[in-house]
Amino acid sequence: MVRIKKCERTLRTPEGCQHLARLKLMAISIPARNRVLIVDVPATPPGSTGVRAFEIRGHRCAQPPANGCDPSGVDRSTELRRRALRCGATLTGFIVSLCIATSVSAQVPAPPAAVAAPQKPAAANPAGNPPGNPQGGAPGQQGGAPGQPAAPPTISVTTIEDKQFQAPQAEFKEGKLTVKSDPPQSVSLDELQKATFTHETKLALEWLGQENIDLVQVGAAEGGNGIRDVHLRASGLAAKGIKQVAVVCRSQFRVWRVDLTNSPHWKIAVQRVGQASIADLYFEPPTRDLFESDLEVTLTFDDNNSAKATLKASGHTSDQAKIDGPADGSAAKPNRLVAFHLEGGDLLQGRIVKGTADEVTVETAWQPALDVPIVQIRGILFDGGKPEVKTKYDEKLAKPGAEDFALVLSRDGGLAEINGRVQGISDSALKIIYEGQERSIKLERLQALVLAAHPATRAWKGPYQVFRMASGDLFSAAWLALEEKTCKVKSAWGGEVEIPREAVVEITGRNTKMVNVSELTPLSVEQVSWFDRLIPYVRDKSWNNRPLKVDGKTYLRGLAVHSRTVLTYDLGGEFATFRTLLGFDEEAGDRGRVICRVFADDKELFAKPDFRASEKPVPVEVSVKGAKQLKLEVDFGDRVIWANARLYRE
């Protein structure tokens, strides 16, 4: 018998674990005849409050599976913890893994209050994923707090006159939104500037088991390995970007992470639409079955706040469960995420479910199947493309041509540009007439699509609203009703849609009695370079993507211009009053000096011939009743902001 006393080991324990990293094992004995490794550890080692997890791993066994190792563990009493490793071959290597709790614990931040997050329908599998849980268990097992709002959403309303009121509840009747404050306040849709919904949510986890999906493999290597991944669904996420995800299984001393920088852990694949409240997590199953193991999931957002929940694995797992399809897993991946840029500045993010020659059905974070006419689509950008794909896509989207444009991944890994006429798009292929022949391009090769230029298809005759979702989607529609769980709307193409209230972050009024000039496209733009440098005007932000700031106050809407700039807008005789606050961008300091004028149909209504940055901002209000055009002129030199530039109807 070989006995090793007071063997000192430094142990790495899972992220977030309350632990003492250095431990002196009381005794290790290896009976040579039986080839059994036995490790005994006190239930409460000195300086600790108890053993949290304990196993022997890493033994390299040369025996066939039938005669191989038999790791086992027995808790002899409340005073002793024992783990044993029995093997028919010589014990050539092993690692003792031990985690104990101490009185000094790592503090884990409490989950932040999340902004409204959209919910996908409760389905066993996301679109494009084959159903089934071949390893048994109960899909749908929940962990953590429910992902529904912890408190009623607070509704804040701002009118076109900048009056504000809020309350936990509101109702919508006969074209008026009534906030149940004290006293109640009502606003008609043609006077609504915006309504903001604030939701409090908590992270929740759902066990979906090993489905026929393979995105990751052992360690940090990219791509699948032909083995079904373990699938968890996290809901109740804050409307923020995710910087890190960590899944910890303490009983197996296993950690999976998204960012593996300087880490020996295994990789997680995350599927999330924009900043939706739901994310699907996929990771490689470990050698040992995860059944009834506790999985701790920590999400770290891009603002460094985090949310944490725990889930017990309700199904069995196996690292030998192969996918149904090619060994590389190419047939077992979810449909690719895409971004749809629509008419009117709308944005939809999700997956293509199906399509015809006339429309595409999209699954978004807030709608399981939204039918979008192709004529409403300006462009489609597929996720995971090279950086040059986005650059080319933005260029084409800004100036679409006479033909449809497709950017396709060629067989040698390069990018091929195709100009033709789109005949239809489905969840698997794009049909396009190219060089006189109809061709089919698989969506796995399609990187971007920009539709040909055509006249605008939308013509709103009255007020409408833009619904901003927690996922980042923008959807223009006419608000019809506010129900307990949904907002009922009429889309720009006439179909009725029910949007979950928890999905909505903000509703902005458009085509109301007040119109922000920054929402309008100028009829003409005249700009003169500043010492051979042309500085374009910017809407609703300052240069370098900074907020609009005048005299220490930040404004959400307005125009930032550099002289000389003349912007001319078509009014069509619809408006009565123009209002704005004229001031200098804060970076101009005290040296700015410009000439500012406002014209209606070439008639000068306002002039500030020697406006200096040392002066206070100037409020401007002029009548434009019956005017066909509005002209805003800044001349001489420096950066000026038309803050809250607005046009009012009578």
Side-chain angles (χ1 to χ4, degrees), residues 117 119 146-153 198-202 502:
Q119 302 291 330
Q148 299 299 320
T198 303
H199 309 268
E200 294 182 3
T201 58
K202 291 184 178 180
E502 287 77 17

Side-chain angles (χ1 to χ4, degrees), residues 305-376:
N305 285 320
S306 62
K308 187 174 182 179
T310 301
L311 170 75
K312 186 178 290 294
S314 61
H316 292 279
T317 63
S318 170
D319 65 346
Q320 302 299 313
K322 296 182 179 180
I323 63 167
D324 299 330
D328 63 358
S330 59
K333 296 178 181 178
N335 288 357
R336 293 168 64 192
L337 294 175
V338 295
F340 288 81
H341 292 89
L342 308 184
E343 294 286 336
D346 285 2
L347 172 67
L348 300 178
Q349 302 168 95
R351 294 184 173 94
I352 297 175
V353 178
K354 61 181 180 179
T356 66
D358 300 318
E359 65 181 18
V360 179
T361 302
V362 186
E363 178 199 22
T364 70
W366 48 276
Q367 199 69 207
L370 180 65
D371 296 329
V372 182
I374 288 182
V375 71
Q376 292 284 336

Side-chain angles (χ1 to χ4, degrees), residues 519-550:
E519 297 172 13
L520 304 177
T521 300
L523 192 64
S524 66
V525 177
E526 177 190 342
Q527 291 185 290
V528 178
S529 300
W530 173 257
F531 291 104
D532 297 326
R533 180 189 174 197
L534 182 63
I535 305 177
Y537 83 99
V538 187
R539 309 184 199 193
D540 297 332
K541 59 184 177 181
S542 186
W543 298 274
N544 300 323
N545 208 33
R546 295 180 293 104
L548 294 171
K549 206 165 186 180
V550 177

Side-chain angles (χ1 to χ4, degrees), residues 123-125 132-144 204-211 229-235 247 249 256 280-281 283-286 288-295 297 310-318:
N125 300 308
N133 185 25
Q135 303 307 315
Q141 174 74 24
Q142 297 286 340
L205 302 173
E206 182 181 2
W207 171 268
L208 295 176
Q210 278 185 278
E211 300 173 330
D229 296 333
V230 178
H231 183 189
L232 305 182
R233 177 165 293 163
S235 59
V247 177
C249 179
W256 298 263
D280 291 295
L281 313 179
F283 56 89
E284 186 75 5
R288 287 170 51 191
D289 188 356
L290 284 173
F291 181 59
E292 292 192 340
S293 297
D294 288 332
L295 301 176
V297 178
T310 301
L311 170 75
K312 186 178 290 294
S314 61
H316 292 279
T317 63
S318 170

Side-chain angles (χ1 to χ4, degrees), residues 41 82 259 305 402 467 547-548 621:
V41 178
R82 169 168 290 180
D259 183 1
N305 285 320
F467 290 75
L548 294 171
E621 180 172 344

Side-chain angles (χ1 to χ4, degrees), residues 123-164:
N125 300 308
N129 297 347
N133 185 25
Q135 303 307 315
Q141 174 74 24
Q142 297 286 340
Q148 299 299 320
T154 298
I155 303 175
S156 302
V157 172
T158 304
T159 71
I160 60 174
E161 298 294 341
D162 293 325
K163 295 179 180 178
Q164 296 182 340

